[in-house]
Amino acid sequence: MAQGLVKLGVVLTDRGSKYAVSGAPVSDRADVDAVLKSLKRDKAYAKATHNTWGVLLPDGTPLKGDDGEAGAGMVILRMLEREALSGHAIIVTRWYGGKHLGGDRFRHVQTCVSAYLDAQRDGAKKTG
């Protein structure tokens, strides 16, 4: 499916690492895979160090992928649960800049997800 993929681009940088956020409506795991595949058609995203993601499927099933950034998918999932947003995959992309960020990397994932959620709310206000 992968329709409705929104890429906000680079949201923040820290010590050489760059973070971007993207997302799309999904209804099942096949849609999640299609969204990830669509995102990675962009060579910059395909070459990223991590494309972590989380989604609450419409039936309430939680899914996540850390893509080597242990714990990042759960951060996204918790934020989706707090927002009660189901049927929407959010992907946080990181291009590693050469320096370990420790716990800051989780704050950066949160910042990216918040930026995406804010953009979704703003978009809903403009169209609704």
Side-chain angles (χ1 to χ4, degrees):
M1 182 166 138
Q3 292 172 322
L5 177 64
V6 174
K7 291 191 266 185
L8 294 188
V10 175
V11 172
L12 66 92
T13 60
D14 181 11
R15 291 168 266 179
S17 286
K18 294 181 195 170
Y19 286 81
V21 65
S22 311
V26 296
S27 58
D28 56 26
R29 178 59 200 247
D31 285 352
V32 173
D33 292 341
V35 166
L36 290 167
K37 185 176 180 181
S38 177
L39 181 68
K40 291 176 184 177
R41 280 194 197 108
D42 181 327
K43 285 183 184 173
Y45 288 83
K47 291 180 180 180
T49 313
H50 309 287
N51 282 296
T52 60
W53 58 272
V55 62
L56 285 173
L57 293 179
D59 67 3
T61 302
L63 299 174
K64 65 181 175 59
D66 289 335
D67 193 27
E69 187 81 290
M74 185 54 80
V75 171
I76 298 167
L77 203 51
R78 283 194 186 121
M79 292 184 74
L80 287 169
E81 288 169 345
R82 254 183 269 135
E83 194 74 15
L85 179 61
S86 64
H88 210 96
I90 297 181
I91 305 107
V92 175
T93 302
R94 178 183 180 192
W95 292 270
Y96 182 65
K99 294 193 172 136
H100 292 286
L101 303 181
D104 287 343
R105 70 188 193 278
F106 297 115
R107 282 188 286 284
H108 297 335
V109 169
Q110 290 174 330
T111 298
C112 288
V113 173
S114 292
Y116 186 85
L117 294 171
D118 289 346
Q120 287 298 111
R121 278 189 218 95
D122 291 347
K125 286 178 193 168
K126 288 177 189 166
T127 59

